Amino acid sequence: ETGVTQSPTHLIKTRGQQVTLRCSSQSGHNTVSWYQQALGQGPQFIFQYYREEENGRGNFPPRFSGLQFPNYSSELNVNALELDDSALYLCASSLAQGGFGGYTFGSGTRLTVV
Amino acid sequence: GESVGLHLPTLSVQEGDNSIINCAYSNSASDYFIWYKQESGKGPQFIIDIRSNMDKRQGQRVTVLLNKTVKHLSLQIAATQPGDSAVYFCAEKNGGSQGNLIFGKGTKLSVKP
């Protein structure tokens, strides 16, 4: 059984640029959620994808968008990067049906915006 | 608004002692709670969970207690080891089976040898 894998592990971008982060869900999991974790803070929910559609969104602007693919992997896209977007971006996969438990996190992508 | 928070931002214990990490939550409708451990440079690692219809759940060296009356959650770690040093987060599940997790700011546990 493979866990959640994220790529890249680290990334440096310039303000105004666009970035795409990738996540492969754990085997058997069909739901992917993305979280933003600022330094010294707890993760904040961005959005969740189930059956290739957005299924819940946190308090993030539309320049944060995502995709889920038929194999349940997912992408997080951020347009018009701002300095405050610098954070650790975490992907978590879970099994939607009977969804107590199984929120497995990847190691994250550390994004630095300069 | 809905929030999950922790009473103590840092906790220092002696190796071998028991640790207790506390958490307060505000959404009485939350039905599921999880404790995560996060080491530097890594993602949150699942420790133990508890549903709202339970008061206590035990794992290997860890116990979670849920007091719904005062909306309080605690994580007890028995015989704390240096490898337990990390930041610990409690999280509550918002909504139904596809609900997102709401995290607190975390407690940093330091274990002195």
Side-chain angles (χ1 to χ4, degrees):
Chain A
E1 178 181 282
T2 58
V4 175
T5 57
Q6 293 186 242
S7 63
T9 55
H10 296 82
L11 200 55
I12 299 175
K13 288 286 189 177
T14 303
R15 188 172 50 183
Q17 285 188 314
Q18 178 267 344
V19 68
T20 297
L21 310 181
R22 295 177 174 83
C23 171
S24 293
S25 61
Q26 178 171 311
S27 177
H29 285 181
N30 57 15
T31 301
V32 173
S33 303
W34 286 90
Y35 291 80
Q36 181 195 66
Q37 186 177 24
L39 198 63
Q41 302 293 317
Q44 298 293 309
F45 176 68
I46 303 174
F47 44 54
Q48 182 182 81
Y49 276 83
Y50 172 65
R51 291 184 176 178
E52 302 176 49
E53 292 188 356
E54 187 178 292
N55 180 45
R57 188 179 185 95
N59 188 26
F60 281 82
R63 60 189 184 84
F64 285 77
S65 63
L67 288 171
Q68 186 181 31
F69 300 99
N71 66 353
Y72 307 125
S73 66
S74 177
E75 288 183 353
L76 165 65
N77 299 290
V78 187
N79 295 323
L81 283 166
E82 300 177 358
L83 297 179
D84 285 348
D85 295 334
S86 295
L88 179 67
Y89 288 85
L90 295 163
C91 169
S93 72
S94 59
L95 185 61
Q97 296 303 316
F100 293 103
Y103 290 83
T104 303
F105 281 83
S107 293
T109 294
R110 173 70 63 186
L111 173 65
T112 302
V113 183
V114 297
Chain B
E2 301 173 0
S3 67
V4 176
L6 297 168
H7 295 308
L8 296 174
T10 62
L11 178 64
S12 184
V13 300
Q14 202 71 36
E15 180 179 359
D17 287 351
N18 296 333
S19 303
I20 299 176
I21 301 173
N22 296 304
C23 175
Y25 66 95
S26 60
N27 186 0
S28 57
S30 292
D31 58 0
Y32 180 56
F33 304 87
I34 310 172
W35 279 100
Y36 283 96
K37 172 186 179 183
Q38 188 174 27
E39 297 173 287
S40 181
K42 298 184 178 180
Q45 177 187 356
F46 173 91
I47 301 173
I48 192 168
D49 59 0
I50 188 167
R51 298 191 189 189
S52 59
N53 60 355
M54 303 172 67
D55 297 323
K56 178 180 180 179
R57 190 159 189 233
Q58 289 184 291
Q60 186 177 12
R61 282 201 307 119
V62 293
T63 300
V64 55
L65 298 177
L66 176 63
N67 186 330
K68 294 180 288 294
T69 301
V70 294
K71 299 179 192 170
H72 184 267
L73 195 68
S74 68
L75 175 70
Q76 300 177 1
I77 304 174
T80 314
Q81 303 169 358
D84 295 327
S85 294
V87 178
Y88 289 81
F89 293 97
C90 66
E92 62 180 304
K93 186 169 71 72
N94 181 27
S97 62
Q98 298 179 23
N100 57 285
L101 296 177
I102 300 171
F103 285 81
K105 291 187 176 181
T107 293
K108 183 176 181 180
L109 175 65
S110 297
V111 182
K112 296 177 288 186

